[in-house]
Amino acid sequence: MSVLINILLFLLVISVLTFVHELGHFIAAKAVGAKVFEFALGFGPKLLSKTIGETMYSIRALPFGGYVKILGDGDPVEEKI
């Protein structure tokens, strides 16, 4: 039982650290006026998502990371939308 609790606590800590880290990217992008397309916690398929303004906020299936998709940071063909 304690192994399961340790695994769940590890996932919780990683999720909180990831959120704070990605929030830093998000705040920095907004501070310089960059367009943020998506703020995601986790990877893989979307479990929940909501668009507010120009940004889609999502929670994804695998809680081992996250990302902030910013205009100009990635595939230039995709950003001609």
Side-chain angles (χ1 to χ4, degrees):
M1 188 63 158
S2 70
V3 172
L4 181 60
I5 291 172
N6 285 338
I7 291 170
L8 292 175
L9 286 174
F10 174 76
L11 290 176
L12 177 67
V13 169
I14 292 297
S15 296
V16 170
L17 288 173
T18 300
F19 173 75
V20 171
H21 176 85
E22 296 304 329
L23 185 62
H25 291 288
F26 179 79
I27 290 171
K30 289 295 190 175
V32 298
K35 184 175 182 179
V36 177
F37 293 115
E38 185 173 4
F39 179 89
L41 288 177
F43 294 111
K46 292 177 197 168
L47 299 177
L48 298 168
S49 68
K50 181 170 178 93
T51 302
I52 300 174
E54 64 186 18
T55 306
M56 178 175 44
Y57 301 89
S58 63
I59 297 175
R60 295 177 174 258
L62 302 172
F64 302 113
Y67 64 92
V68 177
K69 185 170 182 169
I70 303 168
L71 177 66
D73 184 24
D75 185 5
V77 173
E78 185 178 299
E79 293 174 356
K80 290 185 178 180
I81 297 171

